[in-house]
């Protein structure tokens, strides 16, 4: 397992992308917004009760801890998973990611994958209009990485390229995360405290609709690096198909680059 993860990290360095190993759920929801509306939604990628929006950039990434953390107790079926990366922590803990755009630009968070399960993979080519490329670049700025995400996940989602990325924009714009995650500062959180905030900010979210992933820093402290959010096939919060135990009961949120 470890050697496989290391190989994935090396491939990521060369391609500026990586892939998640786990497969969860299926989603087929129709886009509710035209491209012009989606452009506005994409600028509201992260919301909080105090801070209405924060800017996302995006790319495909995964650490070995995140991969191994998904091997956990089985639970009820979820149809799709949206991955959110806390980029300051990930960029600092993984120097090989330093040349990625979100690390260079200092983005607080990124969409790092969108996974839909149990669909037949097609040979559909990556194809979006210039307008939608512009919209999607607000959540996944690198064109090569957008193509990699499509090849790894999108063409196996049962959605066309435009609908797949519209779905990412829509889900990301509606997800509300605590202001501390994008404040540019560092905090100590308990798992239960962060869970409570997520549930308060997102009506309909269940206690098992998300998973936390952590990585240890040089001081041996656990730092939150990823949050995976699970949905049903109508785009509503759902119970994750697996439960992660990759974070302890207390961890750091490191928002400083």
């Amino acid at each position: 397992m470890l050697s496989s993860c290391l190989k994935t990290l090396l491939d990521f360095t060369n391609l500026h992308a990586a892939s998640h190993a786990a497969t969860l759920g299926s989603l087929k929801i129709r886009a509710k917004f035209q491209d012009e509306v989606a452009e506005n939604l994409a600028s509201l990628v992260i919301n909080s009760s105090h801070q209405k929006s924060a800017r996302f950039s995006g790319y495909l990434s995964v650490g070995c801890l995140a991969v191994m953390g998904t091997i956990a107790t089985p639970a009820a079926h979820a149809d799709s998973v949206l991955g959110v990366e806390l980029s300051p922590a990930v960029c600092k803990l993984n120097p090989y990611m330093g040349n990625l755009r979100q690390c260079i630009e200092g983005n607080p968070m990124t969409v790092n994958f969108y996974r839909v399960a149990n669909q037949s993979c097609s040979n559909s080519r990556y194809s979006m209009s210039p307008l939608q490329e512009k919209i999607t670049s607000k959540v996944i700025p690198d064109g090569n990485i957008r193509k990699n995400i499509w090849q790894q996940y999108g063409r196996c989602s049962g959605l066309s390229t435009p609908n797949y990325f519209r779905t990412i924009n829509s889900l990301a714009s509606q997800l509300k995360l605590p202001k501390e995650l994008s404040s540019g500062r560092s905090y100590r959180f308990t798992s239960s405290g962060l869970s409570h905030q997520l549930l308060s900010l997102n009506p309909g979210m269940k206690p098992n609709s998300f998973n936390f992933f952590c990585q240890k820093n040089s001081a041996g402290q656990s730092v939150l690096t990823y949050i995976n959010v699970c949905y049903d096939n109508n785009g509503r919060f759902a119970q994750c198909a697996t439960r992660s135990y990759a974070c302890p009961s207390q961890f750091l949120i490191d928002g400083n680059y």
Side-chain angles (χ1 to χ4, degrees):
M1 178 68 178
L2 180 59
S3 62
S4 175
C5 284
L6 292 174
K7 181 180 184 300
T8 299
L9 296 181
L10 291 174
D11 292 340
F12 180 96
T13 306
N14 295 329
L15 299 174
H16 292 215
S19 62
H20 277 270
T23 303
L24 308 171
S26 71
L27 175 68
K28 281 189 177 181
I29 61 175
R30 300 180 62 181
K32 296 181 180 179
F33 307 100
Q34 297 298 323
D35 284 345
E36 291 82 358
V37 178
E39 182 170 10
N40 294 327
L41 287 174
S43 67
L44 299 175
V45 187
I46 295 215
N47 302 285
S48 73
S49 56
H50 301 283
Q51 184 173 318
K52 291 299 181 184
S53 66
R55 187 162 167 263
F56 253 119
S57 69
Y59 79 105
L60 181 64
S61 72
V62 62
C64 287
L65 281 177
V67 175
M68 291 185 283
T70 60
I71 303 174
T73 306
H77 183 73
D79 295 299
S80 67
V81 183
L82 182 74
V84 176
E85 173 198 287
L86 279 70
S87 298
V90 172
C91 293
K92 288 169 65 175
L93 291 170
N94 304 282
Y96 60 87
M97 294 183 179
N99 59 350
L100 295 173
R101 185 167 173 178
Q102 69 270 19
C103 299
I104 294 171
E105 296 182 351
N107 296 101
M109 301 179 199
T110 66
V111 172
N112 70 306
F113 74 94
Y114 176 58
R115 184 169 56 235
V116 180
N118 301 329
Q119 299 293 319
S120 298
C121 296
S122 71
N123 292 321
S124 298
R125 299 182 62 182
Y126 175 90
S127 177
M128 285 197 289
S129 68
L131 174 59
Q132 194 174 20
E133 288 277 10
K134 178 181 176 183
I135 294 166
T136 306
S137 69
K138 295 182 179 181
V139 294
I140 309 171
D142 188 283
N144 288 331
I145 292 168
R146 289 195 295 274
K147 293 176 182 177
N148 187 281
I149 291 174
W150 170 254
Q151 288 297 319
Q152 187 71 28
Y153 299 112
R155 68 184 187 85
C156 300
S157 68
L159 300 170
S160 66
T161 311
N163 284 339
Y164 175 75
F165 286 103
R166 283 194 190 105
T167 301
I168 290 176
N169 288 333
S170 179
L171 293 177
S173 71
Q174 295 174 60
L175 179 64
K176 298 177 177 65
L177 298 176
K179 61 182 178 62
E180 289 87 352
L181 300 187
S182 57
S183 67
R185 301 172 61 188
S186 296
Y187 297 87
R188 183 173 293 280
F189 259 85
T190 63
S191 179
S192 59
L194 182 56
S195 297
H196 178 74
Q197 286 205 41
L198 285 172
L199 293 170
S200 298
L201 291 168
N202 296 276
M205 181 176 276
K206 302 170 176 59
N208 50 14
S209 292
F210 49 85
N211 282 315
F212 299 146
F213 299 99
C214 291
Q215 184 176 342
K216 288 189 175 181
N217 59 19
S218 58
Q221 300 168 308
S222 291
V223 182
L224 184 66
T225 49
Y226 300 94
I227 301 174
N228 289 359
V229 183
C230 302
Y231 299 87
D232 66 16
N233 60 4
N234 291 311
R236 297 172 301 204
F237 296 115
Q239 181 175 339
C240 293
T242 60
R243 292 299 291 157
S244 164
Y245 301 98
C247 283
S249 59
Q250 294 188 15
F251 47 76
L252 294 177
I253 291 176
D254 189 353
N256 297 312
Y257 273 93

